[in-house]
Amino acid sequence: MTQSNATVLKSYEYISPTRRTVMGIIFLALALGIWALFSRTVTPEMQTTFSLYPGGSSVVVPDWVFPTQPMLNVLAFAGALLGAYQLARGFGRQTNTILGVVSALFIFGFLAWGASGSSLNLAGLLKVAVVRAVPLVLGAFSGILCERSGVFNIAIEGMMLTAAFCAALFGSLVNIWFGLFIAILTGGVMALALAVLAIKYKVDQIIAGTVINIFATGITSFLSAKFLQRYGDLNDSGRFGTWDVPVLSKIPFIGPVFFSHNLFIYAMFIFVILLTVALFYTQWGLRTRAVGEHPKAADTLGINVNRTRYISVVLGGMMAGFAGAYFVLGSVGRFDEVMTAGRGFVGLAAMIFGNWNPIGSLGAGMLFGFADSLASKLAILKVPIPNKFLEMGPYIITMIVLAGVVGRGQPPAAGGKPYEKE
Amino acid sequence: MEPVLDLRGITKRFPGVLANDHISIDLMQGEIHALLGENGAGKTTLMNILYGLYKPDEGDIFVKGQKLTIDTPNDAIKAGVGMVHQHFMLIPVFTVTENIMLGDEYLKPGGFLDRKKAAARIREISQQYNLQVEPDAYVKDLPVGIQQRVEIIKLLFRNADILILDEPTAVLTPQEVDELFNIMKKLVEQGKSIILITHKLREVMEFADRTTVIRGGKVIGTAKQSETNQFELAAMMVGRQIELNIDKKTAETKDVVLDVKNLKVLDTHHQVAVANVSFEVRAGEVLGIAGVQGNGQTELVRALTGLTHPVEGKIHLLERDITHAPVKQITELGTAHIPEDRQKDGLVMTYSIEDNLILNTWYKAPFTRNVILQRKVILDNAQQLVSNFDIRTPSALTATSHLSGGNQQKVIVAREFSRPIKLLVASQPTRGLDVGSIEYIHRRIIEKRDDGCAVLLVSTELDEIMQLSDRVAVMYRGQILAIVDPKTTSREEIGLLMAGVVPEAH
């Protein structure tokens, strides 16, 4: 027991020489990949056209046309330079950032290669990526709220699904704002059930979450088959319209990609700020994180551990409910069976990839959304890779991340453990 | 003078145990009052009641003359009572400031944390009481001694007048202990009052004003320091006369059992932890490794017992090269290991005593026949060892997690000593144990030595090293600075070596 402190003292920022070398080799391999796979397979006279405004935008920007091979060579050279520096000196704590940069070079190279001889709507690709990221990022935020207080919530998927159902039903019966309200409420109530199981009855949190997921799939499928599919009026909620942010949406390229969306997309950006500030700069955040790291320490300082956890889990559930509403009110305007299709779990992956941090999770969610968006575009580009493989991208990245290649994450230390006063 | 704190007739029952039986204690202002007792005597339970973590079944608590009901730690904090727990209540990934302000945050308008103001207050407190800390440092990066300072500042930040320190020296090195007591003196001078929970007699004699001895949940007596002595207190604590010094014969050394040459071992961060270490241990002697914690002792022991492998150098056990041998082979060659962290590396805490006793022999006859564990033999073996090694337990089937630290250690000792062994590697064998258990373990180690076993004793407790060792090797920053004879070398000389000061050759 007396040694327990020593084990806690490990520093997470240490970068071993092996890791430095491995990273350097990865950088070089990616650079080599750009050259060997892409640059060498195009003919010198080929050109790539990137369209910089998505359809329907009022701001017209000329297409970006460049010769493919020189661009790929520049990208490969830049990647190789970074790799060489990494091997020789190392970027230290910036290693992961540089890994991101090199990966971005690779993806850009891939796009340039894929679109060589034809054109690709880059703005459209990114715009879709932002939209696809929404349920993942909101799901990740739900996970952050729960797990930062020390409760695992793998029921996000089920909460989103049930909330989507309620959004469709009450959106059709009353109006979409009421549907949104009920969706958030549904998420909150389901989270309360999880909280009671996990906190009061100390049920294993993974099992409690799984049970809720199975329940959600069952009940929504049943009720949907019984009522929503049969009476069309009950499944016609409509959806939130697009609202262009004044001024900002007029910025070329950036405007249509980021500032011409519906409520859910803006909410995602507002929540990332709100959540970051709340977690790291307020009393509530400090206490919530303390409870998730070392509940006993918080208890000895007069903080009510279980109350703090109830609040966080219910807030997390409401976030999941909001994310669920997106599927109906922000996207297709109707409910379909199991329409969340595992997005809640990918959201958790984004949370882990983002190291339980709102900004990191936003980045991770965007990346996953991008892969999703890319997979659908590739069919058009006639790239000789089956798009199912690209759809696997996010999951493969998640596994690589979980295996610790990008560096070990720092999960809340008391996650998943019920607090016992002794 | 009225006491600042007065506990009257505190009683606490747990299922089957009377943990506190009408305990009454008072604390005067500016006093260091030691609460002395063995592990499991009820000291920590009493303090947890005072701190609002447990509710007493009977009894009253008076703070500065006023009767108080303390139901939650918040009530205790409001009454000016603060506690430094034996296992620190610090969040490793938070900064010092965040840890200290948690629960009593300084806020800017709008509910935002005012870290700057809190850090300023912390600096003020550090200056006033000479407690140096860096408010922006992360707790995980701080050594244990500094973490303890953070805990103390946490109490002062809340304006606590009555400080409870629960076994504060258990995790500290000798130097840190001295520093802690300087801090305590300073606190008392400035009007604070301290309850010091401990089982270490030397600390009590040196630093406390009064001592109350608790045994079996009852107060045995209270004595002023000037009117008592170590032997009297030890007898009160254990309930019988005990030997504070071990009588031992001069060592009869025989052949070399363990031969270590130019060993280099890396730690988990791939940094050199043991550098160019050479020594030998002979049958029938105790070689003590002295040194401040974290100077490579842990890695050295791990390499000797096969838990990690050295990058350079050779280890020979009875003339066989075991440098890269697996743990099982090293164990079967006759190495016994009492690990530094008994709960993590020594026992499977959720297993029963009987199963823990066969952790490294279970696959052999008579414990296993034809792949089937022989439950009857295992139980008989356990019952015999429980009585031979005086393991205090309701039954041999009790999980080791329910035993006190001393009895857990006895389970390990029983397991290791009941095999034929040639080499004993004992790492911090008495850390966190009470006087009775320490005496017992020490006697057993000396017995093994006299039986012709080679003993390597690693300890940060200089007293222990001086008492048991026939030769002392001092480790500093991964190197052995000198191997000296404890009979002709003073504590001070070894202390200097531990601090890395090598005396110049005459």
Side-chain angles (χ1 to χ4, degrees), chain A residues 237-262:
Chain A
S237 61
R239 49 192 172 150
F240 287 100
T242 301
W243 178 69
D244 290 347
V245 181
V247 186
L248 289 179
S249 63
K250 303 288 176 222
I251 303 172
F253 187 59
I254 308 275
V257 171
F258 290 102
F259 300 108
S260 176
H261 287 287
N262 67 33

Side-chain angles (χ1 to χ4, degrees), chain A residues 49-103:
Chain A
T49 308
F50 280 155
S51 169
L52 296 183
Y53 70 101
S57 170
S58 55
V59 196
V60 177
V61 189
D63 287 348
W64 182 20
V65 183
F66 56 86
T68 312
Q69 203 172 40
M71 175 60 96
L72 288 171
N73 288 340
V74 167
L75 293 175
F77 185 68
L81 271 185
L82 290 170
Y85 186 85
Q86 172 70 11
L87 279 178
R89 287 277 184 80
F91 286 97
R93 291 169 66 176
Q94 301 304 318
T95 304
N96 283 344
T97 317
I98 304 298
L99 175 66
V101 170
V102 178
S103 305

Side-chain angles (χ1 to χ4, degrees), chain B residues 60 125 175 182 193 243 432 441 458 498:
Chain B
D60 297 315
I125 295 170
Q175 282 83 345
N182 285 335
S193 318
E243 293 284 333
I441 306 263
V458 177
M498 283 166 73

Side-chain angles (χ1 to χ4, degrees), chain B residues 200-215:
Chain B
K200 292 187 184 167
L201 287 166
R202 208 160 69 94
E203 289 166 11
V204 168
M205 291 310 296
E206 267 182 64
F207 304 108
D209 298 311
R210 274 196 304 161
T211 303
T212 296
V213 180
I214 295 184
R215 190 174 77 231

Side-chain angles (χ1 to χ4, degrees), chain A residues 1 3 8-9 14 281 300, chain B residues 51 92 113 140 269 343 431:
Chain A
M1 277 292 224
Q3 280 294 292
V8 175
L9 279 173
Y14 170 75
Y281 297 95
T300 59
Chain B
Y51 196 63
L113 298 171
K140 67 180 180 203
H269 290 170
Q343 298 189 334
R431 174 180 278 178

Side-chain angles (χ1 to χ4, degrees), chain B residues 354-368:
Chain B
E354 61 161 8
D355 288 346
N356 268 297
L357 285 171
I358 55 160
L359 277 186
N360 47 22
T361 45
W362 63 270
Y363 52 88
K364 288 186 187 162
F367 301 125
T368 293

Side-chain angles (χ1 to χ4, degrees), chain B residues 95-110:
Chain B
T95 64
V96 168
T97 306
E98 287 170 338
N99 264 291
I100 291 173
M101 80 193 303
L102 179 65
D104 188 19
E105 297 87 352
Y106 281 3
L107 297 179
K108 288 186 262 199

